[in-house]
């Protein structure tokens, strides 16, 4: 299990191969899903859980000023990696 931390206004790209088996739960704050066509998807609050595989989500964004955290659950043999091009986003185990 890992925690994704998104500072206010931060955005992290969802790479389908890296997030294939991931289930996420918003543990603090809110997350706006960004769809493949660039449109805003659902806004999920604390306690919301969601899959990313096959959903057409291309990014997660924190629409607020306060830090948002998302718990990422993946199978034991699967590692989740984020792009180094997202410096305002951190992923910790």
């Amino acid at each position: 299990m890992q925690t994704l931390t998104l500072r206010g206004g931060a955005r992290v790209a969802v790479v389908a191969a890296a997030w294939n088996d991931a289930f996420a739960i918003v543990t603090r704050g809110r997350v706006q899903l960004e769809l493949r066509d660039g449109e805003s998807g659902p806004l999920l609050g604390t306690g919301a859980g969601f899959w990313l595989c096959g959903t057409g989500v291309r990014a997660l964004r924190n629409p607020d000023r306060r830090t948002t955290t998302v718990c990422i659950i993946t199978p034991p043999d699967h590692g989740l990696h984020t792009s180094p091009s997202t410096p305002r986003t951190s992923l910790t185990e």
Side-chain angles (χ1 to χ4, degrees):
M1 184 167 32
Q2 301 171 327
T3 300
L4 176 66
T5 302
L6 294 165
R7 293 185 181 163
R11 177 184 178 275
V12 63
V14 173
V15 178
W19 293 72
N20 187 39
D21 295 328
F23 181 75
I25 301 169
V26 181
T27 54
R28 183 174 70 190
R30 300 186 308 163
V31 171
Q32 178 80 54
L33 303 182
E34 183 180 311
L35 306 178
R36 275 191 211 131
D37 60 7
E39 294 293 317
S40 294
L43 180 62
L44 306 173
T46 301
F50 57 99
W51 292 101
L52 292 170
C53 180
T55 61
V57 174
R58 74 175 183 184
L60 303 178
R61 188 176 66 83
N62 177 354
D64 301 320
R65 286 190 208 172
R66 292 181 178 222
T67 299
T68 292
T69 57
V70 180
C71 178
I72 309 293
I73 302 165
T74 57
D77 62 340
H78 184 81
L80 179 65
H81 306 286
T82 58
S83 167
S85 65
T86 54
R88 293 174 52 188
T89 304
S90 63
L91 185 67
T92 58
E93 291 193 46

